[in-house]
Amino acid sequence: MSANHSQTAHDPSAVSAASNAKPGPSDCSATSSRFPNFYPSLNPIDVYREYIADHLASITGVEASEVYTKLQWTQTQDKGDLTLPVPALRIKGKKPDQHATEWFPDSDLVEKPTTSGSFLQFYFKPQALIKLVLPTILERKIAYGCNPNLGLRDQSDPSKGKLKILVEFSSPNIAKPFHAGHLRSTIIGGFFASLYEALGWEVIRVNYLGDWGKQYGLLANGYKRFGKEEELQRNPINHLFDVYVKINEVKAPEDKEIESLKAEIKLAKEANRDVTALEEQLAQKVDASEDEKARRYFKSMEDGDSQALDLWRKFRDLSIDKYKQTYARLNIRYDVYSGESQIKRESMEAAEKIMADKGITENSDGAVIVDFTKHGAKKLGKAVVKKKDGTPLYLTRDIGAIMERYEEYKFDKMIYVVASQQDLHLAQLFKITELIGRKDIADRCCHEKFGMVNGMSTRRGTVKFLDSVIEDVADYQHAVMKRNKAKYDQVEDPDKVAETLAITSIMVQDMSSKKINNYDFSLDRMTSYEGDTGPYLQYAHARLSSITRKAGLSPDELLSADLSLLIEPHAINLVRLLAQWPDVVQFTLKTLEPVTILSYLFRMTHMLSSSYDHLRVVGSEPDLKKARMALYECARQVLNNGMKLLGLSPVERM
């Protein structure tokens, strides 16, 4: 039996004290010494974990701290409010589920546990739960679900500071429009940043722009032929994209002709024919090609040519200004706009030197490569780190970037939010970081990959630029809103609400399954009000906001509500779900899946929609009206908190 029992665990009367406890500064600055991540005033379910752990410790002889960590929250209410996998306690002799069901004491907190296979299932008694959960939500408001203690380096000593994480996400290519294919990294990365922040980490949001490489030579040469200064200033990204398309139309037949000539030379060599004339012809065509001109232009940028760099800088600055407008629409912000161009030459040279000194790189036909098969990583193959002309490639730049970031931020963790196609590149990057003697840094880095959005390929000409997609969906949502003239007339800024609904539609479609899954970009599906969609989520929040307005009760009045009047099964089950929100947020830190949050919110909205007929506010007796309104306000608050964590802007009218 655990020697360290608390009052809550032994004295059922402590429930009322727990339910009246107000979260104070100490809740956010130091941990209890009892259990890991034990914050009962921030997470009501921790009260129950402690109570169950202490009593099971006395029954089984297992330390309460061990029982506490094995208790799991449930995703369906028919499995209880907490479950315990009995085999995890590793007890010999009589089955512990027999002990628990026979000896577990009567209390005001928890029913006697039931068994399901090897699991014990614990159901919380409704009245104690309601009196504990609803006041906590009403007091903590937007902070309910957050726990700033979890990001502390030492939860027992906040003065040691917070853990620090860098999240690199979005990272579009400069001078190209932000299309829906870029959206995944932006949405997922923005969510990661918000999640870690909610749990107390110091978060650095990094946008590592694709702003360097031969394509800028191609763009610059294209701009000289097709560019117009007036158009560039008016709509920089779209104009530069048009220029890029036009110069690629010039380049494509040249590339085809060069490839054809190379194939002809290969066949001639195999037939032992003289290829001198063909090779001279090839050399002339290559030298005159847009591809070669782009390579030479980019080499001049690498060599510091001021005119070339001035034009590139102009493209970059104009593009970033436009991207910032798009990010603002998505509730995304950045602490750092970095990019391939920002990595110092000294950092890359240092990386090249240490790789060479440690025998990691080798020469291959004039280029510098890493042969991973010689370094215990056969699956990683070979990678070029420097081209024959001396131009460093992505790997060299990215190694320089890791070193610079660690030097500047001393991060505890760094997440790269990049598509699954970059799996090999990032695995090679982390392996090289380890091989140069910085396993400590490599171990702090991880690749959170995601699947693709189908129907977004620029090469097929089916690209949908995000700004135009938002406008299309907003027009549709605006038309839907106008169908109800009475409600429409009450909306303060219909255009703004329509845009918010459009962005919610797009983002919820993206987050509706595990991030590794591909999905088809569907305007019809994302704009539907049927099923688990963005508009449905916003409708649920707007309906709750409407109930709040019509009830006309102040926050102070809600705090004084007689919660013992909430006895209907619909009310009890809704409170059980609301109690889980802090656990859902913490669990999501393990899954790093936005759909974990989204699924919870949809469960809640479904439960709400089936409750309205049973838990009427308008027309109810005053005390009952106040109690039910307190419940609905708590549901609105948790829905609001969850939507904001996902990066959505909840609307109050629509």
Side-chain angles (χ1 to χ4, degrees):
M1 181 173 175
S2 170
N4 187 12
H5 287 197
S6 74
Q7 184 197 10
T8 309
H10 280 296
D11 181 4
S13 67
V15 174
S16 98
S19 66
N20 291 324
K22 304 285 192 268
S26 62
D27 299 320
C28 302
S29 60
T31 185
S32 159
S33 59
R34 292 223 64 211
F35 306 117
N37 299 333
F38 174 62
Y39 296 97
S41 60
L42 305 187
N43 185 352
I45 290 182
D46 283 353
V47 172
Y48 292 84
R49 283 194 180 90
E50 179 187 37
Y51 180 83
I52 293 167
D54 281 331
H55 282 289
L56 281 183
S58 67
I59 294 167
T60 63
V62 176
E63 280 295 317
S65 57
E66 188 173 346
V67 179
Y68 184 92
T69 59
K70 300 296 191 296
L71 287 163
Q72 302 169 356
W73 66 284
T74 63
Q75 297 199 34
T76 56
Q77 294 187 337
D78 60 327
K79 293 180 180 175
D81 296 297
L82 284 172
T83 66
L84 178 73
V86 176
L89 299 182
R90 301 185 302 277
I91 304 167
K92 295 177 181 177
K94 191 174 183 182
K95 292 183 179 178
D97 57 323
Q98 293 175 308
H99 281 302
T101 53
E102 289 170 14
W103 299 346
F104 201 85
D106 290 320
S107 81
D108 293 338
L109 275 180
V110 188
E111 305 282 0
K112 281 185 178 288
T114 59
T115 57
S116 175
S118 61
F119 284 81
L120 284 180
Q121 296 177 335
F122 296 91
Y123 291 84
F124 303 159
K125 288 191 173 178
Q127 280 306 307
L129 183 68
I130 290 168
K131 290 176 182 177
L132 180 59
V133 172
L134 298 190
T136 300
I137 299 172
L138 291 170
E139 285 284 342
R140 290 189 57 71
K141 296 184 170 61
I142 191 66
Y144 180 63
C146 300
N147 188 342
N149 303 280
L150 302 184
L152 295 174
R153 293 186 181 282
D154 182 345
Q155 291 185 23
S156 65
D157 184 1
S159 68
K160 292 181 179 175
K162 298 179 178 182
L163 292 163
K164 186 181 293 186
I165 183 170
L166 265 67
V167 185
E168 180 196 297
F169 64 108
S170 193
S171 306
N173 293 314
I174 287 296
K176 291 187 182 178
F178 193 106
H179 62 76
H182 290 131
L183 193 64
R184 299 225 69 188
S185 176
T186 308
I187 290 173
I188 294 166
F191 169 69
F192 288 168
S194 297
L195 178 65
Y196 275 94
E197 227 162 35
L199 296 177
W201 288 59
E202 180 183 349
V203 178
I204 310 292
R205 295 164 169 83
V206 178
N207 200 337
Y208 187 63
L209 300 166
D211 65 352
W212 202 246
K214 188 174 69 176
Q215 70 268 32
Y216 295 100
L218 188 65
L219 182 67
N221 290 332
Y223 186 73
K224 289 174 184 175
R225 291 178 63 172
F226 305 113
K228 295 176 182 175
E229 179 65 22
E230 186 181 329
E231 282 292 304
L232 180 68
Q233 294 297 333
R234 190 177 66 82
N235 197 339
I237 293 183
N238 280 16
H239 182 56
L240 289 173
F241 180 72
D242 289 342
V243 167
Y244 195 71
V245 169
K246 285 176 181 174
I247 196 66
N248 269 292
E249 287 170 354
V250 175
K251 179 176 173 286
E254 293 177 352
D255 292 347
K256 192 173 180 181
E257 204 174 336
I258 287 168
E259 287 305 311
S260 176
L261 201 50
K262 285 179 178 177
E264 189 180 342
I265 291 169
K266 185 182 177 187
L267 288 172
K269 283 182 176 178
E270 288 171 357
N272 292 319
R273 294 202 307 268
D274 182 25
V275 295
T276 306
L278 287 173
E279 286 183 335
E280 285 177 2
Q281 187 183 347
L282 176 65
Q284 289 172 0
K285 285 187 179 296
V286 167
D287 190 62
S289 70
E290 290 297 335
D291 189 70
E292 176 58 22
K293 289 175 187 173
R295 190 198 66 76
R296 288 199 294 263
Y297 191 99
F298 178 59
K299 189 73 169 66
S300 74
M301 289 167 61
E302 289 266 51
D303 293 340
D305 181 274
S306 60
Q307 276 191 316
L309 287 174
D310 284 346
L311 183 60
W312 162 81
R313 201 171 287 113
K314 184 178 187 178
F315 292 166
R316 186 182 193 274
D317 292 347
L318 287 168
S319 296
I320 288 175
D321 286 344
K322 180 62 179 172
Y323 283 138
K324 283 180 177 177
Q325 295 172 26
T326 301
Y327 290 132
R329 298 176 86 177
L330 299 171
N331 293 323
I332 297 289
R333 62 179 175 83
Y334 287 94
D335 301 293
V336 181
Y337 277 90
S338 180
E340 296 159 17
S341 66
Q342 307 300 298
I343 308 309
K344 298 173 188 153
R345 187 182 290 268
E346 307 93 87
S347 300
M348 290 186 284
E349 288 172 351
E352 288 171 19
K353 184 175 187 306
I354 194 166
M355 284 191 287
D357 290 348
K358 288 182 173 286
I360 298 164
T361 52
E362 58 188 78
N363 289 315
S364 176
D365 295 329
V368 180
I369 69 163
V370 177
D371 183 349
F372 290 95
T373 63
K374 297 177 181 177
H375 301 283
K378 290 182 180 179
K379 290 181 180 178
L380 300 185
K382 298 178 181 178
V384 179
V385 293
K386 187 185 264 190
K387 291 164 70 174
K388 292 178 184 179
D389 65 1
T391 306
L393 289 180
Y394 292 121
L395 266 175
T396 311
R397 287 188 181 279
D398 288 349
I399 295 160
I402 280 186
M403 297 306 167
E404 285 185 15
R405 287 178 188 178
Y406 189 72
E407 186 62 33
E408 182 171 358
Y409 298 108
K410 296 291 188 291
F411 55 81
D412 298 282
K413 187 180 182 74
M414 178 160 64
I415 297 178
Y416 292 82
V417 188
V418 185
S420 53
Q421 288 93 325
Q422 296 296 317
D423 218 357
L424 178 62
H425 170 77
L426 285 163
Q428 290 173 338
L429 172 64
F430 300 158
K431 186 63 180 176
I432 290 176
T433 306
E434 179 185 323
L435 290 172
I436 63 175
R438 295 312 306 260
K439 189 175 187 301
D440 59 323
I441 298 178
D443 288 346
R444 296 167 190 238
C445 299
C446 69
H447 174 201
E448 284 297 328
K449 52 194 167 189
F450 54 85
M452 297 307 292
V453 185
N454 298 323
M456 291 290 126
S457 171
T458 29
R459 286 189 293 276
R460 293 185 202 150
T462 57
V463 66
K464 295 181 176 72
F465 299 137
L466 185 63
D467 285 339
S468 62
V469 170
I470 291 173
E471 284 157 22
D472 289 347
V473 182
D475 288 344
Y476 175 87
Q477 297 293 5
H478 206 155
V480 172
M481 289 163 61
K482 284 180 177 177
R483 291 175 196 166
N484 188 327
K485 188 175 186 305
K487 286 188 177 180
Y488 183 79
D489 290 344
Q490 293 175 353
V491 177
E492 191 173 323
D493 187 345
D495 289 332
K496 178 65 177 171
V497 171
E499 179 178 297
T500 300
L501 290 174
I503 291 167
T504 303
S505 302
I506 294 164
M507 292 177 71
V508 167
Q509 178 177 246
D510 192 275
M511 296 185 282
S512 291
S513 64
K514 289 192 174 180
K515 57 186 183 290
I516 195 61
N517 295 342
N518 299 338
Y519 75 88
D520 296 322
F521 193 82
S522 167
L523 286 172
D524 289 338
R525 190 171 70 248
M526 75 168 71
T527 53
S528 174
Y529 280 73
E530 296 179 5
D532 292 347
T533 63
Y536 176 72
L537 204 60
Q538 288 284 16
Y539 170 76
H541 188 271
R543 184 170 184 180
L544 286 166
S545 299
S546 173
I547 292 170
T548 301
R549 284 193 301 273
K550 288 175 181 175
L553 294 170
S554 71
D556 286 341
E557 287 178 292
L558 296 182
L559 279 168
S560 66
D562 180 0
L563 301 178
S564 66
L565 298 174
L566 297 173
I567 57 174
E568 300 86 353
H570 286 85
I572 292 164
N573 287 334
L574 184 53
V575 173
R576 290 172 67 198
L577 192 62
L578 297 176
Q580 288 189 338
W581 174 239
D583 274 358
V584 171
V585 177
Q586 288 187 44
F587 180 71
T588 306
L589 199 64
K590 296 178 183 176
T591 67
L592 289 181
E593 292 284 358
V595 72
T596 306
I597 300 287
L598 195 60
S599 297
Y600 170 85
L601 296 182
F602 280 126
R603 280 176 64 204
M604 185 168 68
T605 56
H606 297 162
M607 196 174 282
L608 280 162
S609 66
S610 67
S611 298
Y612 293 129
D613 287 341
H614 300 273
L615 305 172
R616 293 184 179 277
V617 173
V618 178
S620 296
E621 179 270 324
D623 286 346
L624 184 58
K625 173 184 175 180
K626 191 190 293 187
R628 287 176 175 174
M629 197 54 243
L631 174 63
Y632 283 137
E633 172 55 23
C634 287
R636 188 207 63 78
Q637 185 68 68
V638 173
L639 180 57
N640 183 287
N641 294 0
M643 291 174 73
K644 286 182 175 175
L645 188 59
L646 291 171
L648 308 175
S649 298
V651 300
E652 296 191 0
R653 297 178 189 266
M654 57 183 282

